[in-house]
Amino acid sequence: MDTIFYAKAAAFFGAAFAMGVGCFGPAIGQGLIGMRACENIGKYPESGNNIRTTMMIAMGLVETSAIYALLIAGMLVYVGWSI
């Protein structure tokens, strides 16, 4: 009985850790991307549409790593409940 409890606790802790660490980097990256885009739109307002489009594409690419962390955390939670 105790080993099942430890396995479940490890799965849930792993899910929480995966989400915590997996979303920390993308959050900082998206903040930096937005900051640089706002600076460049302020400097070059005539190319604001190009900068905004490039920013949105970069944000989507950065967000994929957080989505992967969410998928891994979801799998760990599913395994923890199914034990």
Side-chain angles (χ1 to χ4, degrees), residues 4-5 15 36 38 48 50-51 63 66 73-74 76:
I4 293 173
F5 175 75
R36 298 297 180 186
C38 288
N50 292 335
I51 294 170
E63 187 66 26
L76 285 170

Side-chain angles (χ1 to χ4, degrees), residues 45-83:
E46 64 277 356
S47 63
N49 288 333
N50 292 335
I51 294 170
R52 194 174 304 111
T53 303
T54 306
M55 179 192 72
M56 290 298 179
I57 292 170
M59 291 271 194
L61 291 174
V62 169
E63 187 66 26
T64 57
S65 61
I67 293 170
Y68 290 145
L70 177 66
L71 290 174
I72 290 170
M75 284 189 262
L76 285 170
V77 167
Y78 176 74
V79 167
W81 276 334
S82 65
I83 292 177

Side-chain angles (χ1 to χ4, degrees), residues 14-29:
F17 188 74
M19 283 305 298
V21 173
C23 291
F24 184 72
I28 291 175

